[in-house]
Amino acid sequence: MAKLFGVSLAKDQWLLAYSIIIVLDLAVWGPVNDIFRSKFVTIKERLGEQIAIKQSQSLLFYIFIFSALIVTFVILRPDIISNLLVSDYSEIQKQSLNEMIQVVAPILLINQATLIGISILNAYDIFYVPELATFLSQILSIIILLLSAEQLGIYSLVLSTFVGLIILLVFVIVKIKQKKINLFSLFRPKFDDFKQYFIFALPLFIPYFIGQINTVVEKRLISKQGIGSISIIDFGKKFPDMVNAVVSSVLLTVLIPVLAKAFVQKDEVNFSKNFIQIFSLGILGLGFFVIFMFFESSDLMHFFYGNSDISTDSMNKILELNVLYSVAIIAVFMYVIFGMSMLAIGKNKLNAFAGSVTQILVIFSNIFLIDHFGIIIFPISIFIAHIVSGLYMFSYYPYSKNEIIKTFAKNVFMLLLVLLILKMILPLVMHQLPSDLIILVRLGIAGILQLTIFIFVGYFLKLEEFTSGLVVLKKRLGIK
C-alpha cells in the first residue's frame, strides 16, 4: 500500500470509509461479539448443546436483518457519515469520500457473519483453523491487490478486502459443517433468544459507543492535521496493530472459553493457572516485539516503506509513531486480558464502566493535548488510559493476585535485562557489518541476536516458559 498509494488523499479516504464501517459494526455488534463465546459456553454447559445452537441461529438471523438495514441506510445517506468524519474537505473531495463509503458498506455484513462463525468454532476448542483461514485469505487479498492496483487504483483495496473476507467466511462455514455443528439446520427464529444475548451484552454498549465516538473524534482531529496525516498514522501503527491482533486472537480466543468454563465449574486452580499462563505469554511476546522496535524500527520501516513516495518528514513521523504505538500495545493487552477475565466471571457492568472511562480519558486527552503534542498524543493517550483501566479491573480479579504480580514483575525484569544487554551488544555487532549490507539481512541478524539473548536470559532466570520449553525440546531431540 505504501508503494502503490503512499501518503495520499485517496489512501486517506479509503481509511476513513473502511474505518467508519468498522466503527458501525463495533458500535452495534461489538459487545455481542465480546460476550458470545463466554455466553455460548455457559449455555452449552448448563442447558445443553442443542439449546445453545438454536439460540445462536436466532442471534445470527437477527444480526443479519439489522445489519442489512444499517448497510442500506449508509448506502442511501453516506453524506451523514462523511460530515461526521471531516470538516475541511472540498465538495469534490467529500463526494469521492461518499462514493467510497457506499462501496465499502456491505463489508459490515460479511465481517459480522465471519466473527460469529469464528466465535462458534472457538467455543468448540477449534482455534487454529480460523487463524489459518485468516492467514490464507490475507495472502489472497495481497495477491489481488497487486494484480488489480494498476487498473482499479484505490478501489483495488476494496476488491481485495471483499474477496479476502468472503474466502474467510467460506472457510469458517465449511469447518462448521465438517465438525457437524448443527448451525445450518432448519429453525424458527426467536427474538427472545436474540434478546438474551443482547441484554447480557447491554452494559458493554456504553463503552463501545463511547469508543466509536473516540474513533470518529480521532479521525476528525487527524484529518485537520493535513492531507496524508491519516495515512501516516495508519502506517505508524500498522505493525503494532498487527502484532496486537495476533496476540489477542491466538491467546485471548483460547482464554475466554477456558475461563468461563472453569468459573462455571468453580475450578479456581484451573482458572488461575490458565490466566497466568496466557498473561505471561502475552507480556513476554509483546515485550519481545517492543524491544525489537526500539532497536530496529528504522530498518523495518525503511524496508517496507522505503521504496515508496513517502517524504522524509512523513517517514520520520511514521518511525516515531511506530515505537510509541508498540509500547502502547502492552497497556492495551493488560486492559483486554483483565477485561476478558471480568466477562468470564460475569462482571459485565464493571467491564463496561472501565471501558467507558478508558475511552473518555482518550477522547479528552486527544482533544485538549493535540495542539501541544501533535499526532503523537494518540499513542500516548492510549497507553495511559488503558493502563489505568487495566489496573482498576485487576483489583477485582476473583482469586489470588500475588501470583499475577510476581509473574508480571519477573517478566518485566527479564525484558529490562534483555534490553540492557542488547543496548551493549547490538551496536558492537552492527558496527562490524558492511555498510552496504541489505536491510533484510540486518533485520535478520538483529532478530536472531535478540532471540538468542531472550532465550538465554529467560532460562537463566528460570522462567517456566523457557525451562519447560527446553524440557520439551530435549525430549523431541532424544536428549536425556
Side-chain angles (χ1 to χ4, degrees), residues 307-323:
N307 293 325
S308 65
D309 294 330
I310 298 175
S311 67
T312 302
D313 184 53
S314 296
M315 182 64 80
N316 289 336
K317 289 179 181 177
I318 290 171
L319 287 171
E320 186 177 17
L321 287 166
N322 185 65
V323 174

Side-chain angles (χ1 to χ4, degrees), residues 143-154:
I143 293 171
I144 292 170
L145 177 63
L146 292 171
L147 294 176
S148 63
E150 189 174 339
Q151 290 78 25
L152 298 178
I154 196 67

Side-chain angles (χ1 to χ4, degrees), residues 119 332 334:
S119 293
V332 173
M334 292 182 66

Side-chain angles (χ1 to χ4, degrees), residues 367-387:
I367 290 174
F368 292 112
L369 298 177
I370 189 168
D371 290 336
H372 182 71
F373 288 96
I375 57 177
I376 68 167
I377 188 57
F378 296 112
I380 293 172
S381 63
I382 288 172
F383 177 84
I384 294 173
H386 284 82
I387 278 287

Side-chain angles (χ1 to χ4, degrees), residues 8-65:
S8 62
L9 176 63
K11 176 77 186 318
D12 282 3
Q13 291 180 337
W14 152 255
L15 290 170
L16 285 170
Y18 181 75
S19 67
I20 197 61
I21 297 304
I22 299 302
V23 161
L24 288 171
D25 191 2
L26 290 175
V28 179
W29 304 124
V32 177
N33 293 334
D34 271 1
I35 61 91
F36 178 81
R37 277 174 293 219
S38 58
K39 184 69 174 174
F40 182 88
V41 170
T42 302
I43 294 170
K44 184 165 166 280
E45 289 291 318
R46 290 178 174 171
L47 303 177
E49 180 181 10
Q50 188 174 358
I51 292 176
I53 291 293
K54 289 294 182 186
Q55 291 182 355
S56 298
Q57 288 176 316
S58 295
L59 176 68
L60 277 167
F61 175 81
Y62 284 104
I63 282 176
F64 179 82
I65 295 298

Side-chain angles (χ1 to χ4, degrees), residues 217-343:
V217 169
E218 179 184 289
K219 291 293 183 286
R220 194 175 179 90
L221 289 172
I222 298 171
S223 66
K224 287 184 177 180
Q225 303 299 305
I227 291 174
S229 295
I230 294 172
S231 297
I232 289 172
I233 289 279
D234 180 62
F235 287 132
K237 66 179 180 178
K238 186 67 71 178
F239 282 94
D241 279 357
M242 178 183 68
V243 171
N244 188 42
V246 169
V247 171
S248 297
S249 62
V250 173
L251 299 184
L252 298 182
T253 52
V254 176
L255 182 67
I256 299 170
V258 170
L259 291 188
K261 187 174 181 179
F263 190 75
V264 169
Q265 296 174 348
K266 298 181 180 179
D267 189 348
E268 178 182 341
V269 174
N270 267 330
F271 188 102
S272 297
K273 179 184 175 183
N274 284 293
F275 182 88
I276 290 170
Q277 283 180 343
I278 299 297
F279 178 74
S280 182
L281 284 171
I283 294 295
L284 289 174
L286 292 175
F288 182 91
F289 171 73
V290 171
I291 292 172
F292 185 80
M293 284 301 174
F294 267 124
F295 294 105
E296 290 301 312
S297 178
S298 179
D299 279 344
L300 189 67
M301 296 300 100
H302 280 95
F303 176 74
F304 281 97
Y305 305 147
N307 293 325
S308 65
D309 294 330
I310 298 175
S311 67
T312 302
D313 184 53
S314 296
M315 182 64 80
N316 289 336
K317 289 179 181 177
I318 290 171
L319 287 171
E320 186 177 17
L321 287 166
N322 185 65
V323 174
L324 291 172
Y325 273 114
S326 297
V327 175
I329 63 173
I330 297 283
V332 173
F333 172 76
M334 292 182 66
Y335 164 83
V336 171
I337 195 168
F338 287 118
M340 292 302 101
S341 71
M342 294 299 102
L343 289 178

